[in-house]
Amino acid sequence: MKIKYYGVRGSIPTPGRDTVEYGGNTACVAVWVDNKLIVLDGGTGLRVLGDELIETPFGRGEGKGTFLFSHLHWDHIQGFPFFKPAYIAGNSFKLYGPSQVDVTLEDTMRQQQQYQNFPVLMEDMPSTFTFTELKEGHTMDIDGIEIKNRRLNHPGGVFAYRISSQDKSIVYATDTEHYSAPDPGLLELADNADVLIYDSMYTPEQYKDHVSWGHSTYEEGIKIAKAANVKALHLFHYDPSHSDELIDAIVKEAQDDFPNTFGAKEGWELEL
Ligand SMILES: [Zn+2]
Ligand SMILES: [Zn+2]
């Protein structure tokens, strides 16, 4: 199993000199299991993944991929219209995610590409798409890869995912606000995972002014990582105001408490 980060920023892309190291693209993480591609969210980082995939069977219209959307806020879908493999006939993509506030996954994705917002309708993209809305707790098997989900705490709802194959597992839990005690659903999902990717939008001090905004902190990520016996914690979905310098300091502080903490960065790739 291989993970590569293409976008680690929350809310809005943040280009500029202060974000060069961690990157300014919004949420997008690629997971490969034996050359099978799973894409976690389609934020602006998806454009870069698409450009890389053009050098693979996706460039010849022979690619198959799976998208797991945590939810459908802009920072998790905005890269999709710029995903080049979707413009090549023969490629096929399965899109999984929640419906969002009474609008289906399919309608929300199509609405992003209405003419008033974007020049190409989704139905005019030549590759094929299938949409599946997920129910909480439903375990899927995609080409031998097990995918579990849990609903977490975020305005409009959000899914966290666990991807497991051959004794390795990754948990993706972004855009979630913690409760006073660790969420039992997330603890169960993250149990003994190799990697927990966790919403680290705010510093603990900033969180005090953002209660009920639907995001969390590295401290809460550490609580989950310890309680669920997670091997490595990856901080993710940084606030747009966070500079490289600040994120470095946050990662260092987190490592004092949980040494196997890493700050996810664009372009970082690791094999499990
Ligand atoms: Zn987000
Ligand atoms: Zn969100």
Side-chain angles (χ1 to χ4, degrees):
M1 195 181 286
K2 194 176 91 175
I3 313 177
K4 187 169 176 185
Y5 288 95
Y6 289 88
V8 300
R9 189 67 49 175
S11 303
I12 191 167
T14 56
R17 279 190 285 269
D18 292 340
T19 56
V20 170
E21 193 192 335
Y22 287 90
N25 278 306
T26 61
C28 183
V29 185
V31 176
W32 280 270
V33 181
D34 304 330
N35 294 329
K36 288 167 206 149
L37 172 66
I38 296 175
V39 184
L40 290 160
D41 282 333
T44 61
L46 179 62
R47 182 187 65 82
V48 184
L49 168 61
D51 291 356
E52 288 184 9
L53 290 175
I54 290 300
E55 308 301 326
T56 72
F58 284 94
R60 303 190 295 273
E62 295 164 6
K64 283 190 178 127
T66 299
F67 280 84
L68 300 176
F69 289 97
S70 61
H71 64 317
L72 305 172
H73 282 160
W74 279 340
D75 53 325
H76 299 257
I77 62 171
Q78 264 188 327
F80 202 85
F82 299 90
F83 181 56
K84 280 189 191 152
Y87 290 87
I88 297 174
N91 289 329
S92 63
F93 299 98
K94 292 177 180 168
L95 287 73
Y96 297 89
S99 57
Q100 192 82 348
V101 200
D102 301 332
V103 183
T104 64
L105 166 69
E106 177 165 358
D107 286 347
T108 307
M109 292 303 291
R110 291 193 187 283
Q111 281 165 13
Q112 175 174 232
Q113 290 177 234
Q114 287 174 339
Y115 278 130
Q116 60 270 42
N117 299 118
F118 193 73
V120 184
L121 294 172
M122 214 171 162
E123 52 254 48
D124 293 333
M125 289 170 126
S127 66
T128 56
F129 306 116
T130 57
F131 298 86
T132 308
E133 291 196 19
L134 294 174
K135 301 223 178 332
E136 182 177 20
H138 179 71
T139 299
M140 295 191 292
D141 183 298
I142 299 177
D143 302 327
I145 305 162
E146 184 192 72
I147 296 170
K148 291 183 174 180
N149 71 64
R150 285 288 180 282
R151 261 190 198 282
L152 301 183
N153 179 26
H154 191 63
V158 71
F159 273 126
Y161 293 103
R162 180 185 179 113
I163 301 172
S164 308
S165 176
Q166 297 157 1
D167 301 333
K168 298 289 176 198
S169 51
I170 296 167
V171 174
Y172 181 70
T174 190
D175 295 63
T176 180
E177 183 164 354
H178 50 278
Y179 299 108
S180 52
D183 187 322
L186 180 55
L187 283 180
E188 193 192 335
L189 199 68
D191 188 42
N192 282 301
D194 292 278
V195 171
L196 169 64
I197 302 167
Y198 189 76
D199 182 328
S200 306
M201 182 104 168
Y202 303 126
T203 64
E205 294 69 37
Q206 288 169 329
Y207 174 72
K208 290 174 196 158
D209 295 326
H210 297 88
V211 173
S212 83
W213 286 44
H215 295 285
S216 194
T217 69
Y218 74 86
E219 281 187 349
E220 299 297 324
I222 290 173
K223 282 186 199 167
I224 301 287
K226 285 180 176 174
N229 196 31
V230 165
K231 293 190 186 66
L233 173 66
H234 292 191
L235 308 184
F236 186 76
H237 201 281
Y238 309 116
D239 189 85
S241 72
H242 286 190
S243 65
D244 291 332
E245 204 181 343
L246 178 59
I247 299 171
D248 277 341
I250 289 169
V251 173
K252 205 167 164 290
E253 237 168 89
Q255 285 170 340
D256 287 343
D257 191 6
F258 191 75
N260 232 3
T261 302
F262 301 85
K265 278 181 193 182
E266 266 179 46
W268 182 33
E269 189 177 328
L270 75 156
E271 187 90 43
L272 296 184

